[in-house]
Amino acid sequence: MAGSLVNHIRIAVLLLFAADFWKRLAAGLKVLFATIRMLLCRLVKGQPLPKPAQNDCCIQLPPDIYKRADPLLYAQYYLMAQGLAVTWDNPDIDIFDGAALVTGPLQPAHPYRVRVRVWNGSYDAPAVGVGVALSYLSFGAQTVSHPIASTAVNLGAKGTIDCPAYAEFSWTTPAIGGHYCVQAQLSWGDDANPNNNLGQKNINIAQMQSPAKFAFTVRNEASAARRFQIEADCYGLPKLRPCVPEAPYGQGQGDTPLPRLAESKARWARALEEQAYGRFPVPDDWSVRIVPDTLSLQPRQEAEVAVEIEPRDAAFRGTKTFNVHVFTISESGSRTMTGGVTLTATKG
């Protein structure tokens, strides 16, 4: 009798577990079929499939815990991709001959000191040991890169005493005369925006002798033939607005300052309004002749481009700066900036 009772209890327990199992299985299948149905609907409608929020990471950290540094400098390729006009006279790369700042052509086989200024776009996250690599190109666009040296800097968060940070290099120019372009490349393993890490300084100055004449090289570094288009503008960095603590950049409701993200977006909007590419054409009282202004190059092929600049007013005295930009033209007609130079013509 006792054994029969135990068997009945055991059977009842098994039935309860079996019922719960089938109930859970049914719920799981329902979720699975709903997910499959949603994915099929997206595919039929041509909608992208959902992706994990943070690089396939299963741990979702809230933004108030996880902060990422954003080392940056004046990065022409990134700024142009945002629709902004640029200059190739990089304000974050300075070249010194002793204590004197160099703004013209460099001498061959001569020692110089190069200083790179590094900023942080993050208000919250410092970056210890940001890599800074210095290299030079022969004067032009898409020419061969030659490493100079590398170092590291400790970068504080934006607005702190350690931002910006400075990296200094000693560089002796090659013995072969000519013009050289200096590039600075930043590296940081957890960079919030790695696209603003490459800056270039490429400037040449010539005395106008009716007209001022420049020449630089365009090289096709791709493995396929490419077409290039070259054009000039007169963009220059605007003067910085004064920092007045009592008058913040933007206001929210009433006198409340804008949050950081809203303020940053407001700055970008103003920059795009005031400094968009195409808003700084060569003025009518100047003549800029580029020969050739379009060209096709095979892989690893180079071509020299000549630029002649002349004022239409023969009485002009002073200096005028021009930027010459080189674009790659795709088969669809879209353009991608591949380099450029800043040229300054002077007339005493």
Side-chain angles (χ1 to χ4, degrees):
M1 184 69 180
S4 177
L5 180 60
V6 170
N7 287 334
H8 283 301
I9 294 174
R10 182 181 300 168
I11 292 171
V13 170
L14 289 175
L15 289 173
L16 287 173
F17 274 107
D20 184 67
F21 166 77
W22 291 111
K23 183 178 180 180
R24 291 176 179 272
L25 178 61
L29 290 174
K30 184 178 181 180
V31 173
L32 176 62
F33 289 140
T35 303
I36 294 174
R37 181 181 179 184
M38 180 270 292
L39 294 176
L40 289 175
C41 288
R42 282 179 174 267
L43 289 174
V44 170
K45 295 179 180 179
Q47 298 175 348
L49 297 178
K51 297 181 180 180
Q54 293 186 5
N55 300 325
D56 296 331
C57 179
C58 57
I59 301 176
Q60 305 293 327
L61 294 177
D64 59 333
I65 295 177
Y66 182 53
K67 305 294 185 181
R68 303 174 72 189
D70 179 22
L72 61 93
L73 75 168
Y74 186 84
Q76 288 97 338
Y77 299 97
Y78 172 72
L79 295 172
M80 180 68 82
Q82 309 310 306
L84 293 171
V86 298
T87 174
W88 297 96
D89 184 10
N90 198 306
D92 289 328
I93 302 175
D94 290 322
I95 302 175
F96 297 89
D97 187 356
L101 181 65
V102 178
T103 58
L106 305 179
Q107 302 177 39
H110 189 80
Y112 290 97
R113 178 170 59 92
V114 182
R115 185 180 67 190
V116 178
R117 181 170 53 180
V118 183
W119 301 89
N120 192 348
S122 171
Y123 286 97
D124 304 295
V128 178
V130 176
V132 185
L134 193 71
S135 61
Y136 73 90
L137 308 171
S138 51
F139 193 69
Q142 287 284 297
T143 46
V144 179
S145 177
H146 306 273
I148 297 173
S150 60
T151 187
V153 297
N154 296 328
L155 181 63
K158 186 175 181 179
T160 66
I161 192 172
D162 295 316
C163 180
Y166 295 88
E168 297 217 357
F169 302 87
S170 296
W171 175 42
T172 299
T173 52
I176 300 175
H179 302 280
Y180 299 95
C181 163
V182 177
Q183 285 188 328
Q185 174 75 60
L186 308 182
S187 58
W188 177 245
D190 192 25
D191 198 331
N193 182 9
N195 296 321
N196 55 14
N197 290 359
L198 176 63
Q200 182 169 319
K201 190 178 189 72
N202 199 351
I203 183 171
N204 191 16
I205 298 175
Q207 184 71 27
M208 280 186 289
Q209 296 180 352
S210 192
K213 296 183 179 181
F214 306 87
F216 63 91
T217 300
V218 175
R219 175 182 172 88
N220 181 12
E221 276 294 301
S223 57
R226 294 200 298 181
R227 292 194 304 130
F228 296 89
Q229 184 177 23
I230 307 166
E231 60 190 35
D233 70 11
C234 287
Y235 172 75
L237 293 175
K239 293 183 179 179
L240 294 176
R241 293 182 173 88
C243 294
V244 183
E246 292 77 14
Y249 183 84
Q251 298 287 343
Q253 296 295 329
D255 294 330
T256 304
L258 287 176
R260 290 174 179 172
L261 179 58
E263 179 184 355
S264 178
K265 289 182 176 180
R267 289 181 182 273
W268 272 107
R270 175 172 290 185
L272 286 171
E273 179 182 352
E274 298 177 351
Q275 302 178 55
Y277 185 76
R279 293 178 59 91
F280 306 89
V282 175
D284 294 337
D285 55 349
W286 282 85
S287 169
V288 177
R289 184 167 177 260
I290 303 173
V291 182
D293 58 1
T294 57
L295 66 159
S296 297
L297 297 176
Q298 296 300 314
R300 308 297 184 266
Q301 184 182 4
E302 296 182 353
E304 185 174 272
V305 175
V307 181
E308 296 184 354
I309 300 175
E310 186 174 23
R312 300 188 188 279
D313 182 2
F316 172 82
R317 296 294 183 272
T319 64
K320 184 70 175 177
T321 299
F322 302 83
N323 307 298
V324 178
H325 308 292
V326 181
F327 296 89
T328 302
I329 308 174
S330 68
E331 293 183 357
S332 64
S334 62
R335 305 195 311 171
T336 303
M337 190 179 70
T338 56
V341 297
T342 293
L343 309 174
T344 299
T346 68
K347 189 173 184 180

